[in-house]
Amino acid sequence: MSDERASDEALPFFVYGTLRSDGHNHAVHLAGRCADIRPAVLEGAALHGGPGFPWAVPDPTPGRRIVGELVTVRPGAYAGALADLDRLEECRADGTGLYVRQRRAVRTASGETREAWVYLAGPVVAAELRARPALIVSGDWAER
């Protein structure tokens, strides 16, 4: 189990696709559970398009970033939201899922840096996207 999975610290989530406040998965998995939602950016990662959903892949290319939202879940709803999102993203404790959940620094629109959980493409998908990129140059799923 990775250090990220060993600790399920109640961090906010950085969401960049269908979990954003206007996305269909937000309505299903996060609506009514949120204490705060604010615009944010994940630096050092690239956004790739998939069949109906996006993939975040670490990318050191200067200027690479992903636009999204920092979602803080109410404390009483956190455990359920975390379990639901891990299930939705097919995030496995051994790191072999479609997505992996990692702790990353994100920057809010006000310039504040916050630690957040980010669902990144799992190792198999990330390797496929590096071999055959489906880059969304703007880094914004809403502008795909």
Side-chain angles (χ1 to χ4, degrees):
M1 183 180 300
S2 70
D3 291 338
E4 290 84 7
R5 295 290 306 191
S7 169
D8 287 337
E9 183 181 345
L11 296 173
F13 297 92
F14 175 76
V15 298
Y16 51 86
T18 64
L19 285 166
R20 285 168 72 171
S21 56
D22 60 353
H24 67 276
N25 277 323
H26 179 91
V28 174
H29 299 284
L30 290 172
R33 292 176 159 174
C34 300
D36 186 53
I37 301 171
R38 60 184 65 188
V41 172
L42 172 65
E43 304 286 347
L47 186 65
H48 293 263
F53 46 89
W55 302 94
V57 178
D59 187 332
T61 303
R64 224 32 124 214
R65 66 188 181 96
I66 297 175
V67 175
E69 295 172 338
L70 185 66
V71 175
T72 303
V73 174
R74 290 182 291 102
Y78 191 84
L82 179 66
D84 285 352
L85 296 183
D86 277 358
R87 192 171 28 260
L88 172 69
E89 306 294 14
E90 297 185 37
C91 184
R92 297 185 188 139
D94 67 1
T96 63
L98 284 180
Y99 288 85
V100 293
R101 177 168 44 92
Q102 293 186 358
R103 181 185 192 129
R104 295 286 176 121
V106 300
R107 185 176 33 81
T108 67
S110 67
E112 176 186 17
T113 299
R114 300 270 312 271
E115 293 289 313
W117 290 126
V118 179
Y119 290 94
L120 301 167
V124 171
V125 174
E128 289 174 6
L129 289 169
R130 285 187 183 102
R132 288 181 300 287
L135 185 64
I136 297 172
V137 176
S138 70
D140 190 341
W141 180 246
E143 295 180 7
R144 64 190 182 284

